[in-house]
Amino acid sequence: MSRGLGDVYKRQIEQHYSEDISIEDISSFCGLNRSYFSKVFRDTMGESPQGFLLHYRMARAAQLLTESRLPIRTISTMVSYPNQLHFSRAFKNVYGISPRDYRAKHFAL
């Protein structure tokens, strides 16, 4: 996969991160087998497609937590986590702190 294909994937994430998008959806969009896509993506981008998607969603959630007063439940849905508990666990795994505590520490308004 060339760097250009990595950019295509990144654009897909930026446009569709809030949807229930899967790595299989992205690999199909790129016209590649899922396993091959995952291997080449990791080689090109330095992390798995799943990791990239997770980190993108959590970065967007962190931004929303610090720049808005939206309820955490709403933010979790906006980043494609309809289950707030799953969202909170994923967020804490990435940032080491719960979404509520992250907001209290970093809220910008």
Side-chain angles (χ1 to χ4, degrees):
M1 173 166 59
S2 70
R3 188 73 177 164
L5 197 51
D7 292 338
V8 168
Y9 176 75
K10 287 168 68 174
R11 276 195 305 277
Q12 284 291 103
I13 292 297
E14 291 168 355
Q15 294 172 358
H16 301 284
Y17 74 92
S18 63
E19 301 168 17
D20 186 20
I21 192 168
S22 69
I23 303 312
E24 193 149 308
D25 295 333
I26 298 295
S27 62
S28 293
F29 176 82
C30 293
L32 298 172
N33 168 285
R34 184 186 188 281
S35 298
Y36 179 71
F37 173 80
S38 293
K39 180 201 177 317
V40 178
F41 185 89
R42 180 184 293 277
D43 292 346
T44 304
M45 304 300 287
E47 73 177 315
S48 71
Q50 296 89 343
F52 185 87
L53 177 58
L54 170 69
H55 289 115
Y56 189 88
R57 284 176 170 159
M58 293 302 116
R60 182 67 178 130
Q63 180 183 12
L64 290 166
L65 287 165
T66 60
E67 296 178 359
S68 77
R69 295 186 186 274
L70 292 170
I72 292 171
R73 178 178 305 278
T74 301
I75 292 172
S76 72
T77 301
M78 290 174 72
V79 296
S80 193
Y81 279 83
N83 182 311
Q84 186 179 343
L85 180 59
H86 290 156
F87 166 71
S88 293
R89 285 181 183 157
F91 190 92
K92 189 170 185 175
N93 283 338
V94 170
Y95 288 101
I97 189 171
S98 72
R100 182 179 323 279
D101 292 342
Y102 186 91
R103 173 177 269 167
K105 185 175 182 180
H106 299 285
F107 191 68
L109 290 178

